[in-house]
Amino acid sequence: SEDKVAWHVDLAGYGQSSPVIWDETVFVTSASGDQKQTLTVQAFNLKDGIVRWKSEVLATQRPEKVSDMISRSAPTPVVDEANVYAFYESGDLLCIDHVGAIQWQRQLTKEYGDFKGVHGVGSSLVRTPDHLVLLIDHSGPSYLLCLDKKTGDNVWKVEREERVSWTTPLYHDHGGIKQVIISSNGVAESYALADGQQLWKFTGIEKNTVASPSVSDDLVIVGSSSPRHSLAIKLGGKGDVTETHLKWRAESATSSFGSPLIHGDVVYFVNRAGVLHANRLSDGTSLWKYRLPASTWASPLSTPEHLYFFCKDGQTVVIKPREDGPEIIATNVLKVEEKDRHYGYAISKDAIIMRTEKSLVCLR
């Protein structure tokens, strides 16, 4: 709520990405100009919100039209002990050190062709110990890219069919095999991190174009905005596992924006209308439903005791999960301007950093 606000800062430009935190620094991306022509990474002190530095580049590609239904600096950056890595829907990919100096830069649209599609590109970077992984699925030559973090050079590139999607892959080590798991417009797949070889695929899924997959032990949970297409796939298969590795289908639960949340033996989905569905992880059985104040564009968060659902209108609902229904611990309200949304957040040990289109808010 407003009385928990430690600091509030306005950002350069606008954006839909989540902030990221490393030690005592918050990093966030944005774009500005009527054609998103200026791309910005800003660093703020976690303690007080004071700007540490701002790094700007000119966008390689500039769209003819800009609206909040076309990605606006949507991909979330990643950060490690040396650098922050930022990707934009213009195709620009930047590596910037912790004092704001650009270490390397790629221009993927110039290298591999323009991104095509009605709503732009929204897939975020994935960080592994030594690599960056990026999925570009759009109405053109699509691909999965693995880069060396230190140099930005390709480790491998997998060509893909045209497959419009805004999902972000998931890095997972299962049985000693490091892999990249993808849920994207009709298919769930896994690729070996070492060489990009496809390990398995599950086809015939509808409208799994926004929510990223989630994983628990031996199951991958796919979130879809179409009923009976939010489902669980057993890990460990090879090749086409469509007929062999389906664990269950949820009868009515859907995920329109945020990714499925696994907590204990329950998986949670939030649909477009803001209805929260709780399903048993082992067999997909519906346990209960609860209507949140609004839908959630940000994925939910869990701690050992509580679940946090960040509604797009600025309300955060804190739930203590029970099998017979939710126990509402709190509903906190953070003012969001008309036509704006709460897009994302980052967590530190004693703070939540929330991001709207043009601002960051630190809650203690």
Side-chain angles (χ1 to χ4, degrees):
S1 59
E2 298 293 341
D3 62 336
K4 303 291 187 182
V5 173
W7 51 261
H8 177 287
V9 295
D10 293 328
L11 298 174
Y14 45 77
Q16 297 165 320
S17 59
S18 295
V20 293
I21 299 172
W22 190 270
D23 287 338
E24 295 300 311
T25 305
V26 181
F27 303 92
V28 65
T29 59
S30 57
S32 57
D34 56 3
Q35 291 184 297
K36 297 186 286 190
Q37 57 262 46
T38 303
L39 310 177
T40 303
V41 179
Q42 288 178 275
F44 298 89
N45 287 339
L46 176 59
K47 180 180 179 180
D48 52 21
I50 292 176
V51 178
R52 290 190 172 181
W53 51 261
K54 179 173 71 171
S55 183
E56 293 183 335
V57 300
L58 292 179
T60 300
Q61 297 288 340
R62 301 179 185 182
E64 294 181 3
K65 182 180 179 181
V66 175
S67 79
D68 69 348
M69 297 307 292
I70 301 172
S71 57
R72 297 158 70 92
S73 191
T76 293
V78 293
V79 63
D80 61 19
E81 69 280 358
N83 303 299
V84 57
Y85 309 87
F87 171 66
Y88 298 85
E89 58 268 32
S90 61
D92 293 286
L93 175 59
L94 309 175
C95 170
I96 301 175
D97 67 19
H98 284 219
V99 294
I102 295 177
Q103 301 302 298
W104 54 259
Q105 183 174 356
R106 295 277 299 268
Q107 297 173 319
L108 299 184
T109 48
K110 285 192 173 182
E111 295 180 45
Y112 304 128
D114 293 352
F115 301 150
K116 301 176 181 178
V118 176
H119 297 292
V121 171
S123 188
S124 299
L125 290 167
V126 177
R127 181 177 70 86
T128 78
D130 299 308
H131 307 97
L132 300 172
V133 177
L134 178 63
L135 175 68
I136 300 296
D137 276 357
H138 66 123
S139 299
S142 300
Y143 50 91
L144 179 66
L145 198 60
C146 180
L147 309 173
D148 184 298
K149 283 199 303 185
K150 293 182 179 179
T151 64
D153 296 334
N154 286 8
V155 177
W156 47 259
K157 179 173 180 275
V158 174
E159 305 293 338
R160 296 169 56 79
E161 300 174 1
E162 293 183 13
R163 193 185 295 276
V164 178
S165 178
W166 302 271
T167 66
T168 297
L170 175 70
Y171 169 60
H172 182 58
D173 187 335
H174 181 258
I177 301 176
K178 295 178 174 62
Q179 53 196 284
V180 179
I181 300 173
I182 293 171
S183 172
S184 176
N185 202 348
V187 67
E189 305 164 275
S190 178
Y191 292 87
L193 179 64
D195 56 12
Q197 292 296 309
Q198 188 184 74
L199 300 174
W200 57 262
K201 66 177 180 179
F202 185 103
T203 61
I205 311 172
E206 297 177 3
K207 296 185 178 180
N208 58 323
T209 56
V210 179
S212 293
S214 301
V215 66
S216 175
D217 296 328
D218 293 330
L219 288 180
V220 173
I221 308 299
V222 172
S224 163
S225 59
S226 181
R228 288 193 53 76
H229 288 271
S230 291
L231 47 84
I233 302 167
K234 292 178 286 187
L235 282 169
K238 295 181 179 180
D240 191 333
V241 301
T242 310
E243 301 297 327
T244 58
H245 282 65
L246 176 67
K247 181 71 172 179
W248 51 258
R249 290 180 182 272
E251 286 297 321
S252 59
T254 59
S255 276
S256 291
F257 302 111
S259 299
L261 175 67
I262 300 169
H263 184 271
D265 57 359
V266 180
V267 56
Y268 300 88
F269 304 89
V270 181
N271 71 12
R272 182 178 294 272
V275 177
L276 169 62
H277 290 252
N279 290 60
R280 187 175 287 114
L281 181 61
S282 60
D283 60 12
T285 301
S286 177
L287 298 173
W288 48 262
K289 302 175 187 177
Y290 175 78
R291 182 173 288 276
L292 298 167
S295 189
T296 58
W297 279 45
S299 293
L301 168 73
S302 68
T303 66
E305 296 296 325
H306 298 114
L307 311 177
Y308 296 76
F309 295 90
F310 301 90
C311 299
K312 66 179 183 179
D313 66 354
Q315 299 187 69
T316 299
V317 180
V318 184
I319 291 175
K320 184 174 183 179
R322 303 187 324 199
E323 189 160 306
D324 61 346
E327 179 183 344
I328 308 303
I329 302 301
T331 299
N332 297 307
V333 180
L334 184 69
K335 184 179 179 181
V336 173
E337 298 298 327
E338 187 177 357
K339 296 184 180 181
D340 199 355
R341 300 180 186 90
H342 172 222
Y343 285 111
Y345 61 88
I347 302 294
S348 75
K349 62 184 178 180
D350 63 353
I352 300 176
I353 308 296
M354 302 181 72
R355 195 257 170 85
T356 64
E357 183 183 65
K358 298 179 180 179
S359 65
L360 282 184
V361 180
C362 176
L363 305 176
R364 299 292 182 190

